[in-house]
Amino acid sequence: MKKISFIVLCVFASAILITNCVLIYQNSKIQMDFADTAQVHFSKLLSAVGAIQNLSNIILSNQDELSSSFDDRISSSEFVLIDHNGEYTSLGLNFSFSKVDKDENISLVLHEIGSDSFQRIELSKIYGVYYKAELRLSPEKEYYYQFSFEKDGVVTSSREYRIPVYYYNPYTWNVIPQFVNYDTKKQTVTIEFRLDSISSKPYFKEFQINSARLVVYKNGMKLEEIPYNINSYGNQSWVNFEFEGSNIDDYDFYLQVEYSGGFEKRQKIDEPENPLWKEVLSHCYWFSKGR
């Protein structure tokens, strides 16, 4: 009996030993496979990094080649205000080149951003390498320009230059109407008209605001003008208009702005499609029905 037990114990111990040997072999194989896989992936990673570096070098090389393809001879440039008629701004562009070849034809190409349209403008020579051009720009649009050089049938171009809007756009305000109060005792409605600036400070003083006022009409007749204090709160200012009666549709409201350059701009506030004005109307109608 003892001999059988001993034999069973030996078999069991042998089985455990064989199992451990198998596990150790498999673990070693997994580690070797993992090492091989890691080495393969690491090699691929190094290859990808090398490809990225090569691509970066190619891009930088092409960028240098592209930059060198521009004919940049502009030494200086300056914008001057010629005129503004309320719809368009005429700007003068004075500039100079580092050199101008003999019999070379130079023109300015004006592009409207977001459009395929462009305008080729001939330059006026002042003297030597100094030239000027006149640009007619709409304050509602954005532009860039570049120079074109032509000689002996060969045409080269400068890089593109964007024209900052503060050179040709007058200071612009956005009017925010807001229902303030309905006085049940006096049976009057009060509406606030607040100004918020929506453009950057203009470069030329002619485009700065000299005065602003709310102009109110009733049944087509001018009823009242209320001036804004445009410096009362930084870039914000507001006025209140109080009126009797419930029929707000009898009234029309305008923002009248006078600029330092002597021109004026008029904006209708109570446009039917204005969502802020629709909200004012809904409040007025609601309170008038509750009277």
Side-chain angles (χ1 to χ4, degrees), residues 17-28:
L17 181 61
I18 293 172
T19 301
N20 288 336
C21 290
V22 171
L23 290 176
I24 292 172
Y25 171 76
Q26 290 180 343
N27 186 49
S28 300

PDB file of all heavy atoms in Angstrom, residues 17-28:
ATOM      1  N   LEU A  17       5.870  18.925 -12.110  1.00  0.00           N
ATOM      2  CA  LEU A  17       7.146  19.385 -12.662  1.00  0.00           C
ATOM      3  C   LEU A  17       7.050  19.611 -14.163  1.00  0.00           C
ATOM      4  O   LEU A  17       7.532  20.616 -14.699  1.00  0.00           O
ATOM      5  CB  LEU A  17       8.229  18.353 -12.325  1.00  0.00           C
ATOM      6  CG  LEU A  17       9.647  18.698 -12.821  1.00  0.00           C
ATOM      7  CD1 LEU A  17      10.117  19.996 -12.177  1.00  0.00           C
ATOM      8  CD2 LEU A  17      10.612  17.552 -12.482  1.00  0.00           C
ATOM      9  N   ILE A  18       6.425  18.649 -14.861  1.00  0.00           N
ATOM     10  CA  ILE A  18       6.271  18.789 -16.323  1.00  0.00           C
ATOM     11  C   ILE A  18       5.426  20.014 -16.661  1.00  0.00           C
ATOM     12  O   ILE A  18       5.727  20.776 -17.582  1.00  0.00           O
ATOM     13  CB  ILE A  18       5.652  17.505 -16.905  1.00  0.00           C
ATOM     14  CG1 ILE A  18       6.640  16.334 -16.759  1.00  0.00           C
ATOM     15  CG2 ILE A  18       5.271  17.709 -18.361  1.00  0.00           C
ATOM     16  CD1 ILE A  18       6.046  14.989 -17.124  1.00  0.00           C
ATOM     17  N   THR A  19       4.327  20.186 -15.874  1.00  0.00           N
ATOM     18  CA  THR A  19       3.447  21.357 -16.118  1.00  0.00           C
ATOM     19  C   THR A  19       4.215  22.662 -15.939  1.00  0.00           C
ATOM     20  O   THR A  19       4.087  23.611 -16.737  1.00  0.00           O
ATOM     21  CB  THR A  19       2.248  21.306 -15.164  1.00  0.00           C
ATOM     22  OG1 THR A  19       1.534  20.094 -15.369  1.00  0.00           O
ATOM     23  CG2 THR A  19       1.333  22.490 -15.411  1.00  0.00           C
ATOM     24  N   ASN A  20       5.018  22.758 -14.882  1.00  0.00           N
ATOM     25  CA  ASN A  20       5.827  23.963 -14.651  1.00  0.00           C
ATOM     26  C   ASN A  20       6.804  24.209 -15.787  1.00  0.00           C
ATOM     27  O   ASN A  20       7.030  25.345 -16.212  1.00  0.00           O
ATOM     28  CB  ASN A  20       6.577  23.849 -13.322  1.00  0.00           C
ATOM     29  CG  ASN A  20       5.639  23.982 -12.125  1.00  0.00           C
ATOM     30  OD1 ASN A  20       4.574  24.569 -12.243  1.00  0.00           O
ATOM     31  ND2 ASN A  20       6.046  23.434 -10.973  1.00  0.00           N
ATOM     32  N   CYS A  21       7.405  23.087 -16.254  1.00  0.00           N
ATOM     33  CA  CYS A  21       8.349  23.231 -17.378  1.00  0.00           C
ATOM     34  C   CYS A  21       7.652  23.766 -18.623  1.00  0.00           C
ATOM     35  O   CYS A  21       8.161  24.625 -19.341  1.00  0.00           O
ATOM     36  CB  CYS A  21       9.009  21.881 -17.663  1.00  0.00           C
ATOM     37  SG  CYS A  21      10.157  21.344 -16.366  1.00  0.00           S
ATOM     38  N   VAL A  22       6.437  23.247 -18.882  1.00  0.00           N
ATOM     39  CA  VAL A  22       5.672  23.731 -20.042  1.00  0.00           C
ATOM     40  C   VAL A  22       5.329  25.208 -19.907  1.00  0.00           C
ATOM     41  O   VAL A  22       5.443  26.003 -20.851  1.00  0.00           O
ATOM     42  CB  VAL A  22       4.400  22.873 -20.225  1.00  0.00           C
ATOM     43  CG1 VAL A  22       3.492  23.498 -21.289  1.00  0.00           C
ATOM     44  CG2 VAL A  22       4.772  21.448 -20.619  1.00  0.00           C
ATOM     45  N   LEU A  23       4.889  25.570 -18.689  1.00  0.00           N
ATOM     46  CA  LEU A  23       4.533  26.982 -18.464  1.00  0.00           C
ATOM     47  C   LEU A  23       5.735  27.898 -18.618  1.00  0.00           C
ATOM     48  O   LEU A  23       5.641  28.995 -19.185  1.00  0.00           O
ATOM     49  CB  LEU A  23       3.925  27.130 -17.057  1.00  0.00           C
ATOM     50  CG  LEU A  23       2.541  26.509 -16.850  1.00  0.00           C
ATOM     51  CD1 LEU A  23       2.104  26.637 -15.398  1.00  0.00           C
ATOM     52  CD2 LEU A  23       1.511  27.164 -17.774  1.00  0.00           C
ATOM     53  N   ILE A  24       6.875  27.452 -18.080  1.00  0.00           N
ATOM     54  CA  ILE A  24       8.091  28.260 -18.219  1.00  0.00           C
ATOM     55  C   ILE A  24       8.478  28.408 -19.682  1.00  0.00           C
ATOM     56  O   ILE A  24       8.856  29.501 -20.155  1.00  0.00           O
ATOM     57  CB  ILE A  24       9.243  27.622 -17.412  1.00  0.00           C
ATOM     58  CG1 ILE A  24       8.942  27.718 -15.910  1.00  0.00           C
ATOM     59  CG2 ILE A  24      10.569  28.301 -17.740  1.00  0.00           C
ATOM     60  CD1 ILE A  24       9.926  26.960 -15.045  1.00  0.00           C
ATOM     61  N   TYR A  25       8.342  27.327 -20.449  1.00  0.00           N
ATOM     62  CA  TYR A  25       8.676  27.383 -21.881  1.00  0.00           C
ATOM     63  C   TYR A  25       7.733  28.344 -22.618  1.00  0.00           C
ATOM     64  O   TYR A  25       8.166  29.177 -23.422  1.00  0.00           O
ATOM     65  CB  TYR A  25       8.593  25.987 -22.472  1.00  0.00           C
ATOM     66  CG  TYR A  25       8.712  25.968 -23.984  1.00  0.00           C
ATOM     67  CD1 TYR A  25       9.951  26.142 -24.605  1.00  0.00           C
ATOM     68  CD2 TYR A  25       7.574  25.807 -24.780  1.00  0.00           C
ATOM     69  CE1 TYR A  25      10.043  26.143 -25.990  1.00  0.00           C
ATOM     70  CE2 TYR A  25       7.664  25.813 -26.147  1.00  0.00           C
ATOM     71  CZ  TYR A  25       8.906  25.985 -26.758  1.00  0.00           C
ATOM     72  OH  TYR A  25       9.008  25.990 -28.116  1.00  0.00           O
ATOM     73  N   GLN A  26       6.446  28.214 -22.321  1.00  0.00           N
ATOM     74  CA  GLN A  26       5.466  29.098 -23.002  1.00  0.00           C
ATOM     75  C   GLN A  26       5.696  30.559 -22.636  1.00  0.00           C
ATOM     76  O   GLN A  26       5.600  31.448 -23.475  1.00  0.00           O
ATOM     77  CB  GLN A  26       4.042  28.670 -22.636  1.00  0.00           C
ATOM     78  CG  GLN A  26       3.632  27.338 -23.256  1.00  0.00           C
ATOM     79  CD  GLN A  26       2.223  26.943 -22.873  1.00  0.00           C
ATOM     80  OE1 GLN A  26       1.662  27.474 -21.920  1.00  0.00           O
ATOM     81  NE2 GLN A  26       1.652  25.976 -23.604  1.00  0.00           N
ATOM     82  N   ASN A  27       5.995  30.787 -21.331  1.00  0.00           N
ATOM     83  CA  ASN A  27       6.239  32.170 -20.901  1.00  0.00           C
ATOM     84  C   ASN A  27       7.465  32.744 -21.599  1.00  0.00           C
ATOM     85  O   ASN A  27       7.486  33.904 -22.039  1.00  0.00           O
ATOM     86  CB  ASN A  27       6.406  32.188 -19.378  1.00  0.00           C
ATOM     87  CG  ASN A  27       6.527  33.621 -18.852  1.00  0.00           C
ATOM     88  OD1 ASN A  27       5.731  34.481 -19.193  1.00  0.00           O
ATOM     89  ND2 ASN A  27       7.525  33.860 -18.010  1.00  0.00           N
ATOM     90  N   SER A  28       8.507  31.888 -21.699  1.00  0.00           N
ATOM     91  CA  SER A  28       9.722  32.349 -22.389  1.00  0.00           C
ATOM     92  C   SER A  28       9.429  32.641 -23.852  1.00  0.00           C
ATOM     93  O   SER A  28       9.912  33.620 -24.433  1.00  0.00           O
ATOM     94  CB  SER A  28      10.820  31.288 -22.274  1.00  0.00           C
ATOM     95  OG  SER A  28      11.133  31.051 -20.915  1.00  0.00           O
TER      96      SER A  28
END
